[in-house]
Every structure is written in structure tokens, then in C-alpha cells.
Amino acid sequence: MIRSHPTKPFDDQKPGTSGLRKKVRHFARANYAENFIQSVFDVVDRGDNATLVIGGDGRYHNRAVIQTAIRMAAANGYARVLIGQGGILSTPAASHVIRKYRASGGLVLSASHNPGGPDEDFGIKYNIANGGPAPESVTGAIHARTLEIDRWLDVDAADVDLDTIGTATVGEMAVEVIDPVADYADLMEELFDFAAIRKAVAGGLTMAFDAMHAVTGPYAHEILENRLGFAAGTVRNGTPLEDFGGHHPDPNLVHAKVLYDLMMDPELAPAFGAASDGDGDRNLIIGKGRFITPSDSLAMLAANAHLAPAYAGGLKGIARSMPTSAAADRVAEALDIPVFETPTGWKFFGNLLDAGMVTICGEESAGTGSDHVREKDGLWAVLLWLNILAATGKSVDQIAREHWARFGRNYYARHDYEGVESDRADALMAELSASLGDLPGKSFGPLTVAQADSISYCDPVDGSVSENQGIRVLFEGGSRVVFRLSGTGTQGATIRVYLERYEPAGGRLDADTPDMLADIIAAAQAIAGIKAHTGRAAPDVVT
Ligand code: G16
């Protein structure tokens, strides 16, 4: 029997860059998750006999929300729900399952790279039938619905056993608990030359993969150790834990420092090191003695993708988010294919991928992916790197050096100021916006501003316009600084400052990044008055 529960709207359920993210305690309040899920069900396209995928990264509160979502889906007329065993589906695996089983959409329960546990973060994101994050037209409709919702529906049913693969019935709806790894691992085996990688492994290729106690552990065990033959122990921290072992599952140089230190150790480092985040969509790539920035990784993967079977026919185009360095643009130019610059957020790549205009996409925030799914995909990037290493027999360092010698090098860093009072961060951005017209022609040390603007994006496929997507200051000679507020935090505001300097082929290609960026960092301070606004003398995280 369907039950209708009266409720009142919450005024803070506007989805951010990647869905609704809040502290667990905030999410666990009466009606909070229910209102959001009901708002999704009330507005999304699903037709008759719809299938819904529910996946999560295994963080604290995952199982409780899954049981709620199952009862609500049954009351809202879904015919079938697919759930990963244990409530687990990495975000890229969820995207694949939505596409493969022709689901009308999916609920992805994750706060990505944010910490987990009773005092940490939780999130819900809705993905549409193409497997990708809902576009702004849909998230806008969901948000509007949250502001007027007055009831949510469920059925009276016991919890489903999430740990046993099989089928159950809730109300009139079928619930299928599926193997979360198999479909995804099979897809990877179709895309990449597993035989060549296996041969390289047998020939001595070694690696360390840090799953950060997050969702990729089971995927990495199956693919890297079982299918590709890497030694047991290659996958570290491979058991998903509800609190990620108390760590921050963000694969960057700060939170994956143990891996970084290992890879910089000339005696102990394996040939290749990688990590992934809470929900498995981000990646960190480090060769022995050589860290690869996410922006460079996108460019190097694009330049070498033809070595993997799925991309042997070439790429249709490349897309990158605006704060991502322009390294990939030079590859696109050499390949004579188009490059698209989108706002931050994977959802902006969806239309380009669906329209067949691009094959590979990437973001500075450690996300890279292709048209195989509609999410960024951490293990996919790792496997494409492995495929390239196996096909060329070169080291990561060699591939990087040869790339820079050919295309030049985009020195790049991101400075994050975290937990800033929202008012102060807003004031900084407002003042910066107001000063944009005065900046062109002004000099900061050796740098002169060529152009300064606030980014707005017109989607080339559907013509939709997204405004205020960050502030960009371009200097003469191709250096650049971008300022934007993070859309994924749950506490105060995070100011992100993206710094980039291009050094052409034949220039200084092996200098230290902080040295190369020093003038731009000083200019960014002067332009935005970060210290005056935030009281912070230095960023909290540099990646
Ligand atoms: C999400 C989006 C990414 C985006 C990132 C930006 O990542 O999926 O496409 O690059 O947010 O984060 P911020 O707004 O904090 O800079 P994720 O991994 O959190 O889903």
C-alpha cells in the first residue's frame, strides 16, 4: 500500500556542481533525504515501466538512504530498481549500468572526494538516461520542486538484503541486487588491450594503486590483480570503509601523500602509481619520480589514445573545463580535431559526448573520461595510461618529457582556500567582478593583463546559457589565472585559484612549478586581494 507522508520544504536543497551535498547529520534529519528524492521522482522523465539504478560509494549513511529510496521508488511507480551488492557502485560503474540496462536514470549516493562518517559528508546526485549527471534544466526543476513539496510517498516494506545477489519484490517493484564490478570490468576489457598490459606486467611492469579505502577497491582488485596479473598487494587500502579509514579520499598530493612519497623514492617506487577518490571518478597519476598534473594527463592521454583499441580510429574532439590548462588544446591542434572549453562540472560534457562531437574529456580536478560512459572515470584513466605504457615500453617520465618537447609545457597549480566565511568569499568575487573592466593593460610585476572576464557558456548543442562560471584573467604571452568558488564543499566557501603559465617547446621544460608560477601567484594576490578578504596568508591546499 502506498503511504503519503506530509512534509514541508527545506530552503537549502539546490544541487551544486555535483548534486546535493551536506553533512550526514543534516541529511539524516526527518524528511530531508525523502524530500529531495521525491522531488527528483516528481520531475524527471521516466515513462512507463521505468528502471532506476541506485549506487553509492559505501560511505556512512549509504545503506539507510538506499532502503528509503527503494521504498519510495516502489511507491512512485518504478518497475525495477538495480542496486550494486552492498549498496556499492562507483560513479562511472553506475553510469555504465544506467546505459547498459536502459534505465531511465539513477541515484548516485556519494559526496565524492569529501570525507565520510557520522560527522562528515553525504550526497545525492541524479543521473539521467544517458548515464550522466542531470543538466541544469533538470537540476533546476528538481530544486524548484524542493521549494514547494508537501508530501513524499513510500510503501510499507521491510529492508531489502543488499548483500546477496538476487531479486526481491518491494510493493509491485522488482529489486535486483547485481554484481557491482562485473559489467564495468568487462567494459574496460573491451576498451583496452588487456593482453598487452598482461604481457608488460609479466615482463616486470609494477604499480601501486591507492584505493583510499573507498569504492574502487573491489574494482581495482578484480581488474588490476585478477585480470591483469599485477601482484597481490598492488591495490592498497582496497576495502571500502564507511569513514574511508578516517582519511580524506581525495587523490591529490596532499591526501595521497603516502603514495606520492613512495613514487618519489628512487629505491622503492614501482614504475607506475595511481589513486582514485571516494566514488571512483577521479584519478591521480604518478610515474616513478614524475607527478603528472591532471591537465597534462588529459593532454598526454589524448595524444596517445590511438594506442588503445577503443580509440585506434582517432578522436572526434577533446573537451576540457575552463580552469583546466590549455595543454590539451595543443594536442587537438596537432590532431586537427576540435577542442571545447566548458564550465566546471562533468554535466557540461554530456551534450558534446551524446552528439558525437568529442571522445575524450577532462578537468583539472583530476577527472578524465571518454564516451564509454557519461561520468569521469578514475580506473579508465589508469588503464589508458597502462595501455600506453605497455604499447610504447616507455616510462611515465619519458612520455611526459617527449610530450613537452613536442607541445611545450603548461606549468600549472591550483591553490585552494578552504572553509572561508561565505560572506567574505562572496565579497572577494563581487569586488573582483566589479574591477574586471579596469584590468586590461594593467601590469603586475612582469605580467600585463590582456583580457579579464566572467565566464558564461553557451552549449553548442542545445544553446542553453550558463553564466557566472568563474573569473578569468589572461596575461600577455599566454599565462592565466582563474578564480572561482567551489560548488562541492559543505562548510563555508572554498576559493579556488587556478594558475597557468605556458612555456613553448625549446623553453624551460624541466623547471620547478612554484618557481615558474611565482609571478602569476603574486599577480593573483594583487588582483583579488585574497589576504585582505580572507585573512589567509597562504592556501590550505596546493595541487
Ligand atoms: C564535481 C564534478 C566535477 C567538477 C568538480 C568541481 O566533482 O563532477 O566535474 O570538476 O565537482 O568541484 P568544485 O566545484 O569543488 O571545484 P566530484 O568528483 O566532486 O563529483
Side-chain angles (χ1 to χ4, degrees), residues 36 57 93 148 209 218 233 270 284 345 351 362 364-365 437 440 461 472 502 518:
F36 188 74
D57 62 8
E148 57 190 30
F209 180 82
L284 171 70
N351 276 349
E364 53 65 41
S365 55
V461 178
R472 174 173 64 175
Y502 178 61

Side-chain angles (χ1 to χ4, degrees), residues 18 21 112-113 282 346 363 365 376 484 486-488 496:
S18 207
R21 283 188 194 162
S112 187
H113 52 289
R282 298 186 176 204
W346 203 263
E363 296 187 288
S365 55
K376 56 191 186 274
R484 67 177 274 281
S486 159
T488 59
R496 301 207 194 283

Side-chain angles (χ1 to χ4, degrees), residues 166-181:
T167 306
T169 306
V170 170
E172 291 176 10
M173 181 182 79
V175 178
E176 290 179 30
V177 176
I178 60 171
D179 180 332
V181 174

Side-chain angles (χ1 to χ4, degrees), residues 417 420-431 485 492-495 533-534:
Y417 297 80
V420 176
E421 290 88 331
S422 296
D423 292 353
R424 287 178 152 209
D426 291 343
L428 181 151
M429 293 301 282
E431 208 171 279
L485 298 183
T494 295
I495 302 168
H533 277 288
T534 66

Side-chain angles (χ1 to χ4, degrees), residues 13 15 20 31-40 124 142 146:
Q13 297 200 316
L20 183 65
N31 298 331
Y32 197 82
E34 291 84 348
N35 273 18
F36 188 74
I37 294 169
Q38 185 65 52
S39 299
V40 170
I124 304 182
I142 294 169
T146 67

